[in-house]
Amino acid sequence: MFFFTLLGIMAGMDRLATGARKLGVQLTAGQLDAFDLYRRELQEWNRRMNLTAIDDDKGIQIRHFLDALSCLMAFRSHPMAETRLIDVGTGAGFPGLPLKIVCSDLQLTLLEATEKKVRFLKHLCERLELDNVTVLHGRAEELGQDPSHREQYDWALARAVAEMPVLCEYLLPLVRVGGTCLAQKGENAPAEVGQAERALALLGGRLARLVPIELHGLAETRYLVLVDKLAPTPVKYPRRTGVPSKRPLR
Ligand code: SAH
C-alpha cells in the first residue's frame, strides 16, 4: 500500500495528497493515479483549446483538484452513497469530477453550456472509466424547466459560474425539497450571501451554513455556501436563458 502511494506521489500528485490529508482525506494510490491522468489530459487538451486558465502542475493540484475536494467537508454529515449530484457550469469538470474520483458511488451529472468542454468531459470520463456519470450539453435555465431534471437532485453544486442571486436561480430549481445547494466562493462570500436573500426567499431556499476553508498551499480563504431547499420552486423559475443573469433576483 505504502509503495503504491509512493508511486502516486512520485507521479507528481504530492501537493494534492498532502492537502487532502490536511482535510482529513487519505487518497488511495488508485485515486492519485486517476488525478494524475486527469491532469495530463487537461494539460494536453488545454494546449489545443482554452478549457481553463490554470494549467500548471501546482495550480491544477491545489486550485482545481484540492479545491473541489474541499466540498467533502460539507458532505460529512450526509451519507453520499447513491446520492444524485449535479455540477452546474462544470467547465473542465470542477468540482464534480474530483468528487466522483473520491466518492465512486455518486450518481453524477455534469452540466456545461460550451460544447468543446463537453467533448473534453466525455473523453475524460471514458479515460477514467467512470460509471454513473452523465455529461449534458445545455444551460441551467433549460434543465431547470425540464421535468426529468427539475427537483431531481439531492445536491446541486457550482464553482465560479455566477454571483449568488443568479446562482440560486440556476441551482435551486434542480434540487428536491430537502436537498442542498453548494456554491464554492472566494473571500467576498459573506457579502455575496447577503445579496441573495430575496432570491432565496423566492426560490424556496434558506442559507444553512457558510463554511470557511483553508487549503494547503493557498493563502486566501475559500468558502462553501450551503443552501437548504425548504419549499418547491415556483414554476416561473428559472426564467428564460439569459434572464437570470440580466435581471438577478435582488
Ligand atoms: N466550474 C468550473 C468552470 C467555471 S467557468 C470551474 O470552477 O473551473 C463557468 C462555466 O460555466 C463555463 O464553462 C460556462 O460555459 C458555464 N456556464 C455559465 N453559465 C451557464 C449556464 N447558465 N448553464 C450551464 N453552464 C453555464
Side-chain angles (χ1 to χ4, degrees), residues 30 64 84 98 120 145 148 182 187 191 241 246:
H64 284 327
R84 292 159 302 171
F120 169 72
Q145 291 293 358
S148 50
L182 189 171
E187 282 177 325
T241 291
K246 223 172 285 158

Side-chain angles (χ1 to χ4, degrees), residues 132-178:
N132 289 321
V133 182
T134 306
V135 182
L136 298 176
H137 179 210
R139 303 268 319 182
E141 297 94 317
E142 292 157 14
L143 216 68
Q145 291 293 358
D146 177 338
S148 50
H149 294 279
R150 185 180 175 89
E151 303 198 324
Q152 295 301 306
Y153 295 92
D154 304 301
W155 286 81
L157 273 56
R159 179 183 84 161
V161 174
E163 51 173 344
M164 276 309 287
V166 180
L167 204 55
C168 287
E169 193 168 349
Y170 291 165
L171 300 184
L172 274 164
L174 293 165
V175 173
R176 65 169 171 85
V177 173

